[in-house]
Amino acid sequence: MPKVGIVTAMPTEVWPLIREWRKSPHPSQNQGRVGHPLEFFEGEDAVLLCGGIGYEAGKRAAEAVIEYAKPSLLIATGLAGGLKPEWTLGRTMVAAEVVDEATGRRFKTAYGEGTVVSSREIARAAKKRELASRFAADLVDMEGAAVAEVAEAHGLPFLAVKAVSDEMDFELPPLQEFVDAEGRFQSVRFGLWAAWHPRWWPAIARLKKRSDCAAAVLAGRLREVIAGWENQDPSRPFPAPEKARGTLGRSG
């Protein structure tokens, strides 16, 4: 059976899942289109690409996964921000719908509950409050709508699997300015900036702990989703309804 294709932004978001998967470099002929070498992580039933941060990076990564693996399902995954009080650290969601903040387009998923809105910037506290007022959404991510758009164009079923790393009122450091044009996070530049801004040290330390916690929970949820998809009745295009229940966030 074709593999499940998974797109996320950074390895740290899914490291508990992929740490023992084999690495496969992307064919060199595609490097020009993407802008930098790509490295896939391959498990027994899935292939995953960390394609970078943001809409354009998400689209490039989704196209690359489809070209490389010819998957039967495309998943957008990663850490997300909560837009409602109940969406606290470590809760996970398999969303029913993904909304593109910039265009208003709504994409239905293969199954799930709840809504993710995809922002074109890293959503700090003020942005999360703005999105919460504009959209009836539960979580905010960045790449979900881009992956959904590519899946729709290729006629592939799509899922959005997310875990909360920061609640609505949790203030993130100013991370967006350290994301380059290709969606790569410039960690050296950020480290130098952080060294000169000690007031952010506690928040950065908390964010690291929160991200590690959310990544561990997300890995478990992804294993469940992958196993459920691979074990489904091949005569059914999507998982049976009983497999879809309970996908609204749960505590880690």
Side-chain angles (χ1 to χ4, degrees):
M1 180 177 290
K3 289 180 179 291
V4 172
I6 306 174
V7 174
T8 193
M10 300 173 64
T12 52
E13 300 182 83
V14 290
W15 191 246
L17 175 70
I18 64 173
R19 59 165 58 112
E20 296 181 357
W21 289 15
R22 67 183 179 275
K23 297 180 182 180
S24 302
H26 193 274
S28 58
Q29 61 265 29
N30 238 6
Q31 182 174 332
R33 185 184 70 187
V34 176
H36 56 87
L38 297 179
E39 192 170 56
F40 289 93
F41 293 86
E42 294 194 57
E44 183 177 350
D45 299 314
V47 59
L48 181 145
L49 177 60
C50 304
I53 299 168
Y55 175 81
E56 293 298 336
K59 284 192 70 173
R60 291 193 299 264
E63 292 284 2
V65 167
I66 292 171
E67 179 181 328
Y68 178 78
K70 306 297 188 294
S72 61
L73 169 71
L74 200 58
I75 297 176
T77 196
L79 307 185
L83 296 182
K84 295 178 180 178
E86 62 266 30
W87 287 98
T88 54
L89 175 64
R91 292 195 69 188
T92 64
M93 169 185 280
V94 180
E97 183 180 54
V98 176
V99 185
D100 186 338
E101 175 211 4
T103 66
R105 287 191 66 188
R106 294 178 177 267
F107 301 90
K108 298 294 184 183
T109 70
Y111 68 88
E113 297 180 51
T115 300
V116 175
V117 58
S118 293
S119 173
R120 297 297 175 92
E121 63 185 79
I122 296 175
R124 304 179 71 189
K127 182 67 174 182
K128 284 182 279 191
R129 289 192 290 271
E130 174 197 333
L131 292 171
S133 67
R134 289 174 55 199
F135 299 93
D138 302 282
L139 304 180
V140 55
D141 78 341
M142 292 189 71
E143 297 79 31
V147 179
E149 184 178 328
V150 172
E152 181 179 85
H154 286 267
L156 283 174
F158 163 76
L159 290 175
V161 184
K162 301 292 176 175
V164 177
S165 58
D166 53 290
E167 293 93 343
M168 191 165 98
D169 292 326
F170 184 87
E171 182 60 281
L172 297 170
L175 302 173
Q176 185 65 49
E177 61 192 85
F178 300 99
V179 179
D180 70 16
E182 294 175 357
R184 293 174 295 190
F185 186 72
Q186 300 175 318
S187 55
V188 174
R189 278 190 60 224
F190 177 72
L192 292 172
W193 174 87
W196 288 96
H197 294 81
R199 72 183 183 90
W200 283 104
W201 292 353
I204 293 170
R206 288 196 302 272
L207 180 60
K208 174 64 167 61
K209 291 180 179 179
R210 286 167 162 268
S211 297
D212 289 346
C213 171
V217 178
L218 179 62
R221 197 65 188 276
L222 283 168
R223 291 187 188 102
E224 294 175 359
V225 170
I226 293 166
W229 187 264
E230 292 298 318
N231 294 328
Q232 69 169 315
D233 181 345
S235 68
R236 303 179 65 96
F238 305 119
E242 60 269 23
K243 290 186 178 179
R245 283 199 290 265
T247 54
L248 192 61
R250 64 181 184 189
S251 173

